[in-house]
Amino acid sequence: MNQAVSNTSPNASPQTIYLKDYLPPAFLVKKVELDFRLEPQNTVVTSRLYLSRNPVYPDPQAPLELKGQELKLLSIKLDDQPLGEEGYAIQADTLKLAGVPDNFVLETQVEINPENNTALEGLYLSSGNFCTQCEAEGFRRITWYPDRPDVLAPFTTRIEADKTQFPVLLSNGNPTEKGDLDQGRHYVTWEDPFPKPSYLFALVAGDLHAVKDTFNTASGRQVALEIWVEKENLHKCDHALASLKNAMRWDEATYGREYDLDIYMIVAVNDFNMGAMENKGLNIFNSACVLADPKSETDAAFHRVESVVAHEYFHNWSGNRVTCRDWFQLSLKEGFTVFRDQQFSADQHSPAVERIQNVGLLRTAQFAEDASPTAHPVRPDSYIEINNFYTLTVYEKGSEIVRMLSELLGWDAFRKGSDLYFERFDGQAVTVEDFVQCMAEVSGLNLDQFLLWYSQAGTPRVTAKGDYNAAEKTWTLTLKQETPPTPGQADKQPLLIPIKMGLVGPGGQPLPLEVDGQHLGVETVLHLKEAEQSWTFHHLEDEPLPSLLRGFSAPVKLDYDYSRQDLAFLLQQDPDGFNRWDAGQRLALQALQELVAAQQEGRDLVLDAELIASWQKLLEGEPEDPQMLAELLQLPSEAYIAEQYDQVDIDAIHTARDYARKTLATALYPDLLRLYKAFNQQKPWSADAKEAAARRLKNTCLSLLVVTDTDEALQLAEKQFQHADNMTDQQAALTCLVHAQEANQGEAALAQFARQWAHDPLVMDTWFSIQVTRPHPDALQRVQALLEHPAFSMKNPNKIRAVLGAFAGQNRHNFHRRDGAGYQLLADAVIQLNSLNPQIASRLVLPLTRFQKLDDYRKDKMKEQLERIHKQDLSPDLYEMVTKALSA
Ligand code: B3K
Ligand code: ZN
């Protein structure tokens, strides 16, 4: 009997892992048998691993090495022979067995404490139910194992627990046996025939209830679908279930991918570090990404549920059937799966609006990451803590890379490449090269240069210039590309960048494109490969207006010297929906930057008349596409405005945007009011896309109307708040009241809302966020007060995101208060979370690592807080982020 508890504590000197050091595993696992005796404080896990030497491993004498964390080892047996302490060695998180046979069975028994597990990694309790999170390296907190994605094995899992407390016992695969035991206990055995890496293991046990349905696959198999939730949430499952069925059908039709097991389960838990997890046959979801009811969830939440359900489902092929060789390849599954879920959403809704929203996130948050001390390639070269690399770069930029491949190849060839990839690598753990190679093979394209997108960090800047030759009737486009240096990568190579484009004539008509005698239709994809390259378009009677980077065909910053008139014209006329919106954003940015400059130079603020006139035009008559109009009526966020500068003037940006919104709202008041009334149909809620679009436009108008502070507008908001039959309208109205200058009605509405929704933790998250994002100067005090609120908990990631995440991310000028109190507040929370939940701490610290563009005063204040965090005994997660930031 051995009582050793494997390495746990934060932090024995953190080790850096390098991609270049990759070696295949020394041992393979042919089969895993797990047995869980579940108890909140002392669960006993017995594991039998059927091991064999990997013939391709270079050293045929290599010892077996297993990973483990926070495990109390009770016993260890090799081929059923107990091993004494001399038979193995445990150092930090590694258990080593030397001189083992080529084939053997290793049995270990360990004790773990799920109740104490506040990191929410491994096996833990959420609202009294057992659940697991194993990606990336959580399985080692459950049992000793070669916990790496290139070790795949079939799992058999027997779960035993108290029957009254834990009537439902779930794991991956199909249930094969169940029965009652003595002392009120019971058990269920699950078998997963598909070999999988340990990160896809899952277990759930608790007092849960299911909404059930079935799905018939294209080949005629019937799959049982089950969504498991706490009883009070049973009425919130319909939308997730419908989304799942849509996603299953879509993947069959679009990618020819069918589901493989007989059962597909989703479980909702309240305490979860991220959105959801694609465990084989048993997805575990943050309740915020699965529960949806119109009374308590907004249209945006419905959309999120649909897309996350689809994303996790799509992983069954892109991630589970074909997985990653090592964690450096994370984007192989995440980038591809994000691309697939974006395609799915585009097919369910408006493709242009979907694209606008995805690009909005990429351009504000991913571009900022790419310009920060934590910038990294889509496939990083090294890491200390892999959980730090579940980033916008790996996910969103990774998805853009796959999208570019689909643009370069065209859909038919791309689909062939995807088929080849799934067929060739089914059941294997592979690399980014394997994926790109399939795309090269089916298309005949040379994608060697393209691979640089995976290894080169930073956002490329493409500068475009047009030159019209009236005598020759030609127009020459010259594109230059440059990628700025990022930490550890000073020199950058030119990339292969697909630039989708068209030319617009004076009447808005698309012009035929002719280059080198080739007729390219009215839209083409230019392949920019060199640092500088030109194309000459022929037979152009008048100087054309270029519409470049349509649909945002590459994740780059594109500069072209458009005049305000050009932008106003493109905003109305560009045949590409995305580029219409983008022209509007460029026009607004010019106006906002002018307001920032005016403040810095002590001039009066005057909003560009071209912008006001353009918006006026958008509002004329009956809107053709209300959802698109709602997008066009959004000014660039403060974060995106900040992206345009090398040195950011926080307060001037806030004032500029605020002033622009007020001026626009005042100038356009009658039209906004007319539209609000036209779209505020007093009909009962419906999920219909048209109705959702009407709600979005109406609420966009309302939020503009209330910034004018008229009694009329505030009364409209108050009325909507009191009479709304759905959360979209209720929340929009509440936000208007709380964010308005006059706060009186806001306080009463908040109190009423809290009374109405105190029982629903997801709605209370909204209640928190609305308050901490108030633009008022007392926002910070509000945050401090809410941290003490009984509904707030530092142990619940959703609450941390709702209060601290929303404040730091969406209330920029208050977070960046000059006295540094915002930074201090965040640092206090980070320090507290360092020991409670390292993953969440490491996310929360991010805003404190973004000081590069701040003024020196704020920069110092921020660094002071980082230094303070650095002095703590840090988890590897925080250690990596904070040291990177401080050494930038
Ligand atoms: N694969 C998971 C994310 C796991 C995060 C681990 N820190 C969810 C997803 O991307 O689908
Ligand atoms: Zn994913």
Side-chain angles (χ1 to χ4, degrees):
M1 201 60 100
N2 185 302
Q3 294 292 308
V5 178
S6 58
N7 170 31
T8 54
S9 68
N11 124 49
S13 86
Q15 220 195 322
T16 304
I17 318 284
Y18 295 93
L19 169 60
K20 63 176 167 43
D21 293 344
Y22 174 82
L23 276 179
F27 285 83
L28 304 173
V29 183
K30 286 180 294 186
K31 189 161 82 160
V32 185
E33 289 166 1
L34 297 173
D35 180 277
F36 288 81
R37 312 265 150 111
L38 294 176
E39 293 293 344
Q41 289 171 355
N42 45 13
T43 286
V44 174
V45 186
T46 310
S47 128
R48 284 174 68 80
L49 308 181
Y50 295 73
L51 295 150
S52 68
R53 266 187 203 282
N54 185 358
V56 307
Y57 192 75
D59 174 6
Q61 306 296 323
L64 170 72
E65 290 194 359
L66 304 177
K67 293 290 174 192
Q69 268 177 22
E70 309 217 24
L71 306 174
K72 186 157 113 187
L73 185 62
L74 302 179
S75 71
I76 176 163
K77 292 180 190 161
L78 194 156
D79 285 334
D80 293 322
Q81 295 301 310
L83 293 181
E85 274 181 45
E86 65 297 343
Y88 61 92
I90 295 181
Q91 237 178 10
D93 63 354
T94 306
L95 185 151
K96 240 189 218 184
L97 284 168
V100 293
D102 290 348
N103 291 287
F104 63 103
V105 179
L106 186 78
E107 184 182 300
T108 62
Q109 194 166 63
V110 299
E111 188 183 301
I112 52 181
N113 185 341
E115 196 174 270
N116 254 3
N117 183 350
T118 56
L120 313 185
E121 220 189 345
L123 179 69
Y124 64 93
L125 285 173
S126 173
S127 311
N129 300 319
F130 286 96
C131 63
T132 54
Q133 172 54 35
C134 294
E135 188 178 358
E137 297 179 334
F139 193 69
R140 62 187 62 186
R141 291 164 175 264
I142 293 175
T143 187
W144 288 102
Y145 199 77
D147 189 14
R148 43 187 288 169
D150 56 353
V151 173
L152 282 76
F155 279 60
T156 301
T157 306
R158 182 182 177 280
I159 312 168
E160 181 190 315
D162 182 272
K163 193 171 180 176
T164 326
Q165 266 184 292
F166 308 105
V168 175
L169 306 174
L170 310 175
S171 190
N172 319 86
N174 304 308
T176 52
E177 220 187 302
K178 62 175 83 174
D180 288 338
L181 301 164
D182 290 346
Q183 294 170 332
R185 293 175 73 80
H186 71 146
Y187 76 96
V188 180
T189 303
W190 292 81
E191 266 176 42
D192 183 1
F194 289 94
K196 65 166 176 289
S198 48
Y199 84 83
L200 290 174
F201 171 80
L203 177 155
V204 170
D207 185 6
L208 297 165
H209 300 260
V211 171
K212 300 187 181 180
D213 203 344
T214 56
F215 178 83
N216 294 321
T217 68
S219 71
R221 284 185 312 104
Q222 196 179 70
V223 180
L225 308 178
E226 299 179 353
I227 301 188
W228 292 90
V229 297
E230 290 170 279
K231 200 171 184 179
E232 66 267 27
N233 291 326
L234 276 169
H235 67 289
K236 289 197 184 190
C237 297
D238 295 352
H239 180 60
L241 195 55
S243 304
L244 175 60
K245 289 193 280 184
N246 283 342
M248 294 175 91
R249 193 61 75 213
W250 184 90
D251 212 16
E252 291 180 344
T254 314
Y255 279 88
R257 298 294 119 201
E258 202 176 301
Y259 186 61
D260 43 19
L261 285 165
D262 299 336
I263 181 167
Y264 191 88
M265 296 171 284
I266 290 177
V267 182
V269 303
N270 293 326
D271 306 282
F272 207 65
N273 280 346
M274 63 274 171
M277 178 64 212
E278 71 264 23
N279 317 300
K280 183 78 189 185
L282 177 58
N283 287 186
I284 300 182
F285 270 61
N286 186 328
S287 52
C289 294
V290 60
L291 303 180
D293 177 78
K295 283 210 160 26
S296 48
E297 273 74 33
T298 60
D299 293 336
F302 270 68
H303 187 285
R304 180 178 62 222
V305 167
E306 179 185 69
S307 100
V308 179
V309 165
H311 178 99
E312 305 312 331
Y313 174 73
F314 297 151
H315 267 315
N316 191 55
W317 276 96
S318 47
N320 301 4
R321 289 287 286 258
V322 182
T323 195
C324 302
R325 186 193 73 172
D326 53 71
W327 290 120
F328 297 102
Q329 320 294 329
L330 180 58
S331 193
L332 176 69
K333 75 176 177 82
E334 294 306 346
F336 190 16
T337 305
V338 171
F339 174 63
R340 278 151 54 67
D341 86 49
Q342 290 184 356
Q343 281 181 299
F344 168 74
S345 292
D347 283 353
Q348 313 298 308
H349 306 279
S350 148
V353 170
E354 292 296 316
R355 192 65 189 134
I356 287 166
Q357 290 176 353
N358 295 331
V359 172
L361 174 69
L362 186 87
R363 283 208 300 214
T364 30
Q366 195 281 324
F367 282 13
E369 182 166 85
D370 243 349
S372 81
T374 61
H376 52 275
V378 168
R379 177 168 61 189
D381 308 311
S382 70
Y383 60 78
I384 290 177
E385 172 51 63
I386 186 58
N387 282 321
N388 284 334
F389 289 82
Y390 286 76
T391 58
L392 290 161
T393 300
V394 167
Y395 275 65
E396 307 301 321
K397 187 173 178 183
S399 157
E400 294 301 318
I401 295 181
V402 179
R403 182 180 295 272
M404 286 191 285
L405 280 174
S406 78
E407 289 288 354
L408 291 167
L409 270 74
W411 173 252
D412 291 343
F414 180 84
R415 167 65 201 272
K416 281 201 186 89
S418 153
D419 286 351
L420 179 62
Y421 170 71
F422 289 129
E423 276 151 34
R424 182 177 288 173
F425 299 115
D426 190 8
Q428 297 184 42
V430 302
T431 64
V432 156
E433 280 81 3
D434 292 326
F435 178 71
V436 176
Q437 172 62 28
C438 289
M439 297 298 165
E441 260 178 59
V442 296
S443 65
L445 283 179
N446 181 335
L447 295 172
D448 294 348
Q449 185 189 9
F450 186 82
L451 276 168
L452 282 172
W453 278 106
Y454 285 99
S455 55
Q456 205 164 270
T459 307
R461 186 173 275 279
V462 174
T463 314
K465 284 213 160 58
D467 187 18
Y468 183 63
N469 183 328
E472 302 279 329
K473 302 201 185 312
T474 60
W475 185 78
T476 300
L477 174 67
T478 303
L479 298 176
K480 285 188 199 173
Q481 62 163 304
E482 203 189 350
T483 305
T486 50
Q489 284 189 341
D491 298 316
K492 308 280 183 177
Q493 309 291 314
L495 296 155
L496 167 53
I497 305 180
I499 308 275
K500 193 191 272 190
M501 54 89 61
L503 297 177
V504 183
Q509 75 280 21
L511 301 173
L513 307 174
E514 187 190 326
V515 180
D516 293 336
Q518 267 189 296
H519 295 275
L520 306 172
V522 291
E523 185 171 88
T524 192
V525 180
L526 305 174
H527 294 196
L528 172 61
K529 295 179 184 164
E530 315 291 334
E532 180 173 343
Q533 226 170 314
S534 295
W535 290 263
T536 298
F537 297 83
H538 291 267
H539 299 119
L540 295 163
E541 292 302 322
D542 298 293
E543 180 165 3
L545 190 54
S547 165
L548 301 169
L549 205 68
R550 281 189 171 162
F552 206 68
S553 61
V556 302
K557 295 183 181 172
L558 182 114
D559 294 328
Y560 182 85
D561 197 9
Y562 286 113
S563 70
R564 291 184 183 192
Q565 290 71 28
D566 292 343
L567 291 172
F569 181 78
L570 288 174
L571 169 60
Q572 313 293 339
Q573 302 286 349
D574 198 314
D576 184 82
F578 174 84
N579 270 19
R580 281 185 64 205
W581 172 79
D582 195 39
Q585 295 289 296
R586 284 172 190 265
L587 182 63
L589 268 181
Q590 286 193 12
L592 289 159
Q593 287 185 273
E594 165 57 26
L595 292 174
V596 169
Q599 292 173 73
Q600 290 165 337
E601 291 155 21
R603 284 184 279 119
D604 286 344
L605 300 190
V606 184
L607 185 65
D608 176 24
E610 192 83 56
L611 181 67
I612 304 177
S614 296
W615 277 40
Q616 181 85 62
K617 232 183 179 158
L618 292 173
L619 296 177
E620 276 167 11
E622 278 296 298
E624 265 171 50
D625 181 346
Q627 208 191 352
M628 184 69 176
L629 178 57
E631 293 300 333
L632 295 172
L633 296 178
Q634 310 292 330
L635 285 176
S637 66
E638 288 178 34
Y640 189 56
I641 305 169
E643 258 299 295
Q644 316 305 314
Y645 292 92
D646 291 330
Q647 173 132 70
V648 171
D649 189 335
I650 298 279
D651 300 316
I653 289 176
H654 177 69
T655 305
R657 191 172 185 281
D658 207 36
Y659 176 82
R661 259 170 79 76
K662 276 206 178 96
T663 310
L664 286 162
T666 309
L668 308 173
Y669 193 93
D671 286 305
L672 292 167
L673 189 61
R674 174 180 55 79
L675 276 182
Y676 175 78
K677 288 185 173 159
F679 283 85
N680 188 30
Q681 303 135 340
Q682 305 295 335
K683 288 197 229 156
W685 183 90
S686 130
D688 181 70
K690 258 180 131 175
E691 299 292 320
R695 285 191 287 273
R696 172 114 169 95
L697 178 57
K698 161 185 85 175
N699 288 320
T700 299
C701 293
L702 183 64
S703 76
L704 281 164
L705 289 168
V706 293
V707 300
T708 61
D709 269 331
T710 60
D711 286 342
E712 180 184 36
L714 288 168
Q715 273 162 23
L716 287 176
E718 175 73 32
K719 196 167 157 208
Q720 180 172 319
F721 176 71
Q722 296 300 348
H723 300 290
D725 72 344
N726 66 84
M727 186 50 72
T728 305
D729 287 345
Q730 194 184 15
Q731 184 193 314
L734 179 63
T735 307
C736 286
L737 294 173
V738 175
H739 289 204
Q741 290 299 335
E742 303 304 327
N744 312 347
Q745 281 160 297
E747 291 308 315
L750 278 170
Q752 183 187 328
F753 191 84
R755 278 195 303 277
Q756 188 185 350
W757 293 110
H759 62 279
D760 189 321
L762 293 177
V763 185
M764 288 307 281
D765 289 345
T766 306
W767 182 79
F768 280 115
S769 291
I770 291 175
Q771 296 179 72
V772 301
T773 52
R774 286 176 88 212
H776 304 52
D778 67 353
L780 186 113
Q781 285 86 327
R782 183 66 69 116
V783 177
Q784 283 164 329
L786 290 175
L787 290 174
E788 304 298 324
H789 192 278
F792 179 82
S793 163
M794 271 297 205
K795 290 194 176 161
N796 179 258
N798 286 357
K799 290 284 176 287
I800 294 165
R801 285 184 278 259
V803 176
L804 294 155
F807 174 66
Q810 295 163 48
N811 200 343
R812 282 178 69 89
H813 75 291
N814 277 311
F815 171 62
H816 289 285
R817 275 164 61 131
R818 241 182 102 72
D819 63 2
Y823 307 154
Q824 186 174 350
L825 174 105
L826 197 67
D828 287 345
V830 167
I831 289 169
Q832 206 184 332
L833 282 164
N834 172 44
S835 45
L836 272 180
N837 187 332
Q839 271 186 52
I840 297 294
S842 195
R843 282 292 150 127
L844 203 61
V845 82
L846 281 178
L848 293 175
T849 67
R850 303 287 159 82
F851 47 75
Q852 302 71 37
K853 294 175 167 191
L854 296 179
D855 53 79
D856 289 345
Y857 188 81
R858 285 185 170 93
K859 212 182 253 177
D860 288 348
K861 292 267 172 207
M862 210 178 245
K863 283 188 173 174
E864 246 172 58
Q865 296 305 324
L866 276 177
E867 299 281 3
R868 186 159 74 90
I869 297 172
H870 192 239
K871 289 205 184 86
Q872 313 291 314
D873 185 11
L874 292 183
S875 64
D877 312 55
L878 262 183
Y879 174 87
E880 181 169 39
M881 297 313 252
V882 174
T883 48
K884 275 187 181 162
L886 285 174
S887 56

